[in-house]
Amino acid sequence: MDRPHSPSHPARLSPGTLAVSAGRPDRTPGAPVNEPVVLSSTFVSQGVPVAGEHLYGRSSTPTWEPFEQALATLERAGHAEAGLPTDGPPAVVLASGMAAIAAVLALVPVGGRVVVPRHAYQVTLVLLRELADRGSLTVELVDVADTDAVVAAVRGGQDVPAADLLWLESPTNPMLEVADVAALVAAAHEVGTRVAVDNTFATPLVQRPLALGADLVVHSVTKYLAGHSDVVLGAVVTDDPDLHARVVAHRTNHGAIAGPFEVWLALRGLRTLALRVERAQQNAAELARRLSAHPAVVEVHHPSLPDDPGHARASAQMDGYGSVLGVRPVGGTAGADALVAAVRLWVPATSLGGVESMLERRRRFATESLTVPEDLVRMSVGIEDVDDLWADLEVGLDAARTAADADAAV
């Protein structure tokens, strides 16, 4: 009897269904429904190794493979039709999001140019500055929402060569700016520039950069993909077999390997990605709407808002608006700190993408971009009841208003 959903007879499935079904074991009698975790550092082997043979846990392990195949399927590596399993190379899982970022930056030749948003994950910018200080590469910061300015930076000029890599975040961390990914990819490819997109905020359920022409996609698996704030992992996805091989070699030779148990947990988290993303996005859009009308709020950043600068662009290229907000309360830095200190349901923490709602004032880090406002509070909206989240935020906003009144009275 034919199984219409088996690997040999793929159905046209939605991304949410693929998150549940991709990377499953073969359907043979007695087989487990879920791939088991394999906790072995080495594998039985003799003679000349053959391609794909497991030898040693730094090179490969069976527990990586289901997650890597599932993520590649969601990102449509190989440009498979929407809803069909990928025929491209699998993703490459690494020890952390920064390990994934470092693996992609290692593709830039010595002395090469990298164009990157001035608002991006702060440790990405720290690593780029470190590489620039060592003379490994040069870095040009751009306002990623200004397409013309980004294109000009990528193309270079009379004495400046075209960029070797255009690094994109969209929406950006933490300012939520939205890039015209397809237009920037097309312009970059005209001059031979590779494009990598950090897709952590959007997830492959909301945005698929490979389908927009990008060469590489990076994820902090720690965030939405795993989704429970209990693992630290990263991943790189690409259509290009040569780039895939080079990223794998970097992982092996630099030892940036993921623990099998952590990857097994990430795959388990991936199964509920669609439910979590749907609920978190609904919550985020509703909270953005309420916050934008609150008298104790100076500014709200979220592409769901009709007057947000990135709204039209996000509506055109994304299947949603993400669930990270940027909020500036009254009272400046003191007001922002008061808000974070007053909430009880929201968790003051520096990560995002978990089931729980988290928030923090980003400029508390000395390494954050200096063009991020001192009073910006980044909010990662979780899956709790939206009215409970709002009631807790109102307490925080009252505290921010009290801080503002105290400052005015001085």
Side-chain angles (χ1 to χ4, degrees):
M1 178 179 175
D2 287 342
R3 295 189 178 103
H5 293 181
S6 69
S8 59
H9 298 85
R12 193 171 296 276
L13 304 176
S14 71
T17 300
L18 287 172
V20 176
S21 62
R24 292 283 182 182
D26 292 336
R27 292 188 171 190
T28 56
V33 172
N34 296 302
E35 286 282 3
V37 59
V38 177
L39 298 175
S40 183
S41 61
T42 191
F43 301 88
V44 176
S45 176
Q46 60 185 8
V48 178
V50 299
E53 179 182 352
H54 295 298
L55 299 172
Y56 187 61
R58 181 165 48 81
S59 301
S60 68
T61 183
T63 309
W64 292 347
E65 295 168 357
F67 176 82
E68 291 177 327
Q69 189 61 42
L71 178 56
T73 298
L74 287 173
E75 285 286 5
R76 298 185 197 167
H79 287 229
E81 292 182 58
L84 293 180
T86 179
D87 58 0
V92 183
V93 67
L94 295 104
S96 67
M98 281 309 303
I101 291 166
V104 172
L105 293 181
L107 299 171
V108 179
V110 174
R113 286 184 67 232
V114 178
V115 174
V116 62
R118 69 179 67 256
H119 298 139
Y121 176 47
Q122 58 162 329
V123 190
T124 302
L125 298 176
V126 169
L127 177 57
L128 283 167
R129 284 195 294 269
E130 177 186 315
L131 293 170
D133 289 345
R134 294 204 313 238
S136 299
L137 47 78
T138 59
V139 179
E140 183 166 351
L141 301 177
V142 292
D143 293 318
V144 79
D146 186 340
T147 301
D148 291 342
V150 179
V151 170
V154 168
R155 288 176 175 167
Q158 185 174 359
D159 299 318
V160 179
D164 295 277
L165 178 69
L166 170 60
W167 182 274
L168 296 177
E169 284 187 17
S170 184
T172 60
N173 183 4
M175 296 300 293
L176 286 305
E177 297 136 324
V178 179
D180 187 339
V181 177
L184 293 178
V185 168
H189 285 174
E190 285 180 1
V191 293
T193 300
R194 287 197 186 109
V195 182
V197 180
D198 186 332
N199 204 33
T200 298
F201 271 27
T203 84
L205 296 189
V206 176
Q207 178 173 259
R208 288 164 293 280
L210 294 180
L212 298 173
D215 301 289
L216 301 125
V217 173
V218 170
H219 285 279
S220 174
V221 177
T222 307
K223 311 303 194 296
Y224 290 100
L225 299 183
H228 292 78
S229 303
D230 55 8
V231 299
V232 174
L233 293 169
V236 177
V237 192
T238 180
D239 287 321
D240 187 317
D242 177 65
L243 292 178
H244 179 268
R246 292 171 66 183
V247 173
V248 169
H250 178 94
R251 175 180 68 183
T252 302
N253 297 333
H254 289 254
I257 63 169
F261 187 68
E262 287 82 356
V263 179
W264 183 84
L265 284 174
L267 182 60
R268 186 172 71 165
L270 192 69
R271 301 309 188 196
T272 61
L273 178 64
L275 298 175
R276 292 184 284 104
V277 166
E278 179 181 17
R279 176 62 175 262
Q281 286 196 128
Q282 289 174 351
N283 283 352
E286 177 60 19
L287 291 176
R289 184 187 67 80
R290 297 184 189 185
L291 285 164
S292 63
H294 198 284
V297 173
V298 175
E299 192 171 82
V300 181
H301 298 266
H302 192 251
S304 69
L305 296 170
D307 60 350
D308 186 274
H311 176 74
R313 191 173 283 170
S315 299
Q317 75 184 20
M318 299 171 69
D319 295 327
Y321 301 103
S323 52
V324 177
L325 307 178
V327 177
R328 299 177 63 196
V330 296
T333 302
D337 287 338
L339 186 160
V340 172
V343 294
R344 291 296 175 264
L345 180 57
W346 292 75
V347 182
T350 193
S351 193
L352 57 97
V355 293
E356 63 284 298
S357 294
M358 294 176 278
L359 79 177
E360 67 173 344
R361 185 174 67 83
R362 286 300 292 174
R363 285 289 297 277
R364 70 193 182 100
F365 296 103
T367 51
E368 184 59 86
S369 173
L370 297 180
T371 50
V372 171
E374 286 273 7
D375 56 356
L376 182 83
V377 177
R378 187 186 70 185
M379 297 180 174
S380 171
V381 182
I383 66 172
E384 304 93 337
D385 182 90
V386 70
D387 289 326
D388 290 336
L389 291 173
W390 178 245
D392 197 36
L393 278 181
E394 286 190 306
V395 173
L397 291 170
D398 286 344
R401 186 153 35 192
T402 299
D405 291 344
D407 183 64
V410 174

